[in-house]
Amino acid sequence: MDAIKANNGWGSKITISDETEALLETGGGLLKAKNLLSGNESFLSLNVDIVTNLDLNRLIAFHRQYHPLVTFGVTNRKSSRVLLFDKDNRLRGWRNVQTGEEKGPHLNAAETGLKEMAYSCAVIYQPEIFDLIKQQGKFSIIETYLDLAAEHSILGYDHSGDLLVDVGKPESVAVAEKLFL
């Protein structure tokens, strides 16, 4: 927050949903920011530790074309946990690649043809999401996606080939600097 103030928001209006007292993860943090994001318009979130050259205009256009409750970027990169999508890019489940654990209301062990994709943390939400979230406190937004996927359209936007680095790990900062500077 001090860096934002010292740099005058780098020319942007920045509003903070403060989690100083307790880190709430992606789902809890979104729910805490409800009052800052409420309205009639869709809104975009991007995890603070993700650096990507994903074309947000294309992500937005995809969301507007299909009108889902949620659209998020996904790629075919390696990940220990993947989301599972049908041929229409609709979320069907989640899989831990290392343990084989699977979750999801649409997941059927006999079902084939699901694409494994890695979550990119760039998301467009419809404001109705706030009325549908069942979880409270600290939780991953993936739990919410899986809960809602049975009755609501939650789509993955494939942006494979774009650069993406999770700089939440110190060793990844140098990788991001080489790719983006």
Side-chain angles (χ1 to χ4, degrees):
M1 287 190 279
D2 291 339
I4 293 168
K5 287 178 188 173
N7 291 284
N8 294 319
W10 298 276
S12 299
K13 178 184 176 195
I14 298 175
T15 304
I16 296 173
S17 177
D18 191 350
E19 294 180 31
T20 302
E21 291 182 22
L23 296 177
L24 300 173
E25 293 192 27
T26 52
L30 179 69
L31 193 56
K32 184 178 188 307
K34 175 181 179 177
N35 292 336
L36 300 172
L37 300 168
S38 61
N40 296 325
E41 298 293 322
S42 54
F43 61 91
L44 182 133
S45 73
L46 179 64
N47 286 21
V48 69
D49 56 358
I50 297 297
V51 179
T52 182
N53 66 349
L54 162 67
D55 185 335
L56 294 177
N57 291 316
R58 289 185 179 190
L59 176 66
I60 292 166
F62 181 89
H63 184 79
R64 287 180 177 160
Q65 178 180 354
Y66 295 102
H67 308 287
L69 177 66
V70 179
T71 300
F72 47 76
V74 293
T75 64
N76 62 2
R77 70 187 188 284
K78 279 192 144 202
S79 180
S80 60
R81 295 175 308 265
V82 293
L83 294 169
L84 306 171
F85 296 89
D86 66 17
K87 63 180 176 48
D88 297 319
N89 298 313
R90 188 167 176 170
L91 179 65
R92 307 279 290 183
W94 170 93
R95 178 181 296 134
N96 182 318
V97 175
Q98 296 172 336
T99 67
E101 178 187 6
E102 294 183 339
K103 296 178 184 177
H106 288 303
L107 207 55
N108 178 332
E111 190 168 24
T112 59
L114 296 180
K115 296 180 289 188
E116 292 185 356
M117 302 295 281
Y119 185 59
S120 298
C121 306
V123 188
I124 300 176
Y125 298 96
Q126 289 303 115
E128 307 80 88
I129 189 81
F130 292 117
D131 296 329
L132 300 170
I133 295 174
K134 298 173 187 165
Q135 295 82 8
Q136 296 291 314
K138 179 180 180 178
F139 63 95
S140 168
I141 195 65
I142 298 296
E143 294 174 42
T144 299
Y145 298 158
L146 294 172
D147 282 350
L148 298 177
E151 296 179 17
H152 301 276
S153 179
I154 298 179
L155 299 180
Y157 170 74
D158 186 355
H159 68 104
S160 297
D162 290 343
L163 300 175
L164 186 138
V165 181
D166 176 351
V167 293
K169 304 168 198 153
E171 63 273 13
S172 299
V173 173
V175 172
E177 286 175 342
K178 288 179 184 174
L179 289 174
F180 291 98
L181 295 180

